[in-house]
Amino acid sequence: MPPQPSIPTTQWAQVCPKVGGPVEYKQIPVPKPDHDEVLVNIKYSGVCHTDLHAMNGDWPLPVKMPLVGGHEGVGTVVARGDLVTHVELGEQVGVKWLNGSCLACDFCEGADESLCEKAILSGYTVDGTFQQYCLGKAAHVTPIPKGVKLDEVAPVLCAGITVYKGLKESRAEPGQVVAIVGAGGGLGSLAQQYAKAMGLQVIAIDGGEEKGELCKRLGAEAYVDFTKTKDLVADVKAHSPDGLGPHAVLLVAAAELPFQQATGYVRSRGTIVAIGLPAHAQLKAPVFDTVVRMITIRGSYVGNRLDGKEAVDFFRRGLINVPIKVVPLSELGNVFNLMKEGKIAGRYVLKMPE
Ligand code: 8ID
Ligand code: ZN
Ligand code: ZN
């Protein structure tokens, strides 16, 4: 085992003091791992739109306050509880949204641990990765292989896992067409990459030229700009090779409207996968079309531990190009402002202070 660096008693963190924010960059104590936990010296953390929902408290799920947000963290294990056996000091791991679960309920036993009623959530019900030292349940941290770029792999820990799982849930098969709605954002830009790696054709839907260029660069077959199109449904269908519409739709936008539009353009027998979690939103679909066109609508929520490992392995194999902008941890407030305005193409990643 390599010599272990000493662990300080205080550290830099971004703390949200109350619902609504703003976040405060300050020093807080370094936590100590419980019996089944590891302490991870975080090097990079992605900023997910979920972190903004957490600060705003806009979901019907109680959020811890004060809160250290963040759930796309990667770093090195520097301490572990006495019950931890399979994670070594010095190992590289990722801390994801699902920080821990009971491991004993039907959902946990069936590898559906995100549905566990006792699940704890990084950067939401427990402190997350916007700090230099973060706790994670040893059973749930994701191994990060040596040699991968830590800043680029960070967004895989939420965005990557979630879209990879969502694509599997869509049941789309190689060669088929998937529409990705919110394609220029954090989840969407990765969804395009995973879709391509899984042999799918991509119709990207988002707004503005910067996001359009990003989508083309990431290999989308077509880009539909929702801010410019006069008839979104017709445009999306026209971009599917036979005009019958995409076989699957991945809804990763943080807005309600696209959730109402998707039944209009999805192919008959197609599947709509709801992943984005816009505040106070309803999913509405015409009963008639859903029935006579045999449309499936399903939700998809992060992924299990194996989905996490597989998503990281796609990245390790060079199949996923993660479009990141790296800024210091102190910049989180500005990242949230850009995110609120929908101005982020790809993902911002925070670099922890040395
Ligand atoms: O497990 C899950 N289901 C899960 C996991 C992680 C994140 C769900 N999420 C949720 C987040 O909480 C958030 O609600 O997915 C949503 C998207 O997260 P993100 O990718 O981190 O957000 P972003 O980077 O801000 O990207 C959102 C994109 O949606 C576009 C925006 O332009 C942006 O690029 N968008 C919007 I807002 N309205 C749109 C519209 N009408 C739209 N794109 C197309 N059409
Ligand atoms: Zn997330
Ligand atoms: Zn459980």
Side-chain angles (χ1 to χ4, degrees):
M1 197 197 304
Q4 297 306 308
S6 60
I7 302 165
T9 52
T10 58
Q11 58 162 337
W12 285 104
Q14 284 283 4
V15 182
C16 181
K18 58 177 188 342
V19 166
V23 286
E24 293 167 2
Y25 185 55
K26 62 181 195 182
Q27 293 249 322
I28 61 167
V30 172
K32 291 209 167 22
D34 207 343
H35 302 285
D36 58 347
E37 286 179 330
V38 291
L39 181 68
V40 185
N41 178 204
I42 299 289
K43 309 280 191 220
Y44 294 96
S45 175
V47 185
C48 177
H49 207 111
T50 292
D51 300 311
L52 184 56
H53 294 298
M55 182 175 82
N56 291 335
D58 60 21
W59 286 345
L61 179 67
V63 58
K64 170 189 184 288
M65 285 291 159
L67 175 75
V68 176
H71 57 274
E72 285 185 346
V74 287
T76 309
V77 175
V78 290
R80 61 180 196 174
D82 54 352
L83 296 178
V84 178
T85 52
H86 74 287
V87 185
E88 301 298 335
L89 297 184
E91 207 174 307
Q92 281 188 162
V93 295
V95 176
K96 57 190 174 50
W97 174 246
L98 213 71
N99 189 287
S101 69
C102 83
L103 303 176
C105 69
D106 283 8
F107 297 117
C108 284
E109 287 187 341
D112 252 342
E113 59 251 26
S114 54
L115 306 180
C116 175
E117 295 200 341
K118 292 185 181 146
I120 57 172
L121 310 172
S122 307
Y124 201 93
T125 65
V126 294
D127 285 342
T129 57
F130 296 156
Q131 56 183 340
Q132 290 175 283
Y133 292 89
C134 166
L135 295 174
K137 294 290 180 194
H140 276 276
V141 291
T142 306
I144 304 290
K146 289 206 172 68
V148 303
K149 284 192 159 176
L150 288 188
D151 51 356
E152 287 182 17
V153 78
V156 173
L157 271 302
C158 175
I161 293 172
T162 302
V163 300
Y164 172 58
K165 172 71 162 182
L167 286 163
K168 289 207 265 187
E169 290 287 319
S170 80
R171 311 278 201 274
E173 293 184 357
Q176 294 188 332
V177 181
V178 58
I180 295 172
V181 191
L187 266 64
S189 54
L190 289 193
Q192 298 185 56
Q193 301 292 296
Y194 282 93
K196 274 192 65 180
M198 292 160 88
L200 299 163
Q201 304 180 55
V202 172
I203 301 174
I205 307 168
D206 210 311
E209 272 166 32
E210 189 189 359
K211 289 182 185 173
E213 275 158 29
L214 176 69
C215 293
K216 290 276 167 63
R217 186 159 64 76
L218 295 179
E221 269 74 16
Y223 176 66
V224 177
D225 187 334
F226 79 92
T227 63
K228 295 213 178 110
T229 170
K230 298 211 166 51
D231 186 343
L232 183 99
V233 168
D235 275 2
V236 175
K237 286 181 90 162
H239 282 298
S240 65
D242 56 8
L244 295 175
H247 300 78
V249 181
L250 233 61
L251 293 166
V252 291
E256 183 173 13
L257 181 64
F259 287 73
Q260 324 294 15
Q261 295 169 323
T263 41
Y265 55 75
V266 71
R267 193 185 191 87
S268 294
R269 248 242 202 264
T271 300
I272 297 167
V273 186
I275 295 176
L277 289 161
H280 317 296
Q282 299 289 320
L283 229 173
K284 285 190 203 134
V287 171
F288 186 83
D289 282 356
T290 308
V291 173
V292 304
R293 301 211 297 108
M294 297 184 72
I295 295 168
T296 301
I297 304 175
R298 53 162 53 111
S300 186
Y301 181 40
V302 286
N304 66 23
R305 289 171 287 167
L306 186 55
D307 294 318
K309 278 196 207 168
E310 289 175 2
V312 168
D313 202 51
F314 272 72
F315 177 82
R316 181 193 63 78
R317 289 156 61 209
L319 297 169
I320 309 298
N321 168 354
V322 186
I324 53 166
K325 293 192 183 85
V326 180
V327 296
L329 176 64
S330 54
E331 289 296 303
L332 177 62
N334 293 333
V335 176
F336 277 155
N337 289 338
L338 290 172
M339 188 176 267
K340 264 182 222 158
E341 292 165 25
K343 285 194 181 146
I344 299 180
R347 197 53 129 201
Y348 269 89
V349 170
L350 304 174
K351 184 179 192 312
M352 300 297 140
E354 292 298 334

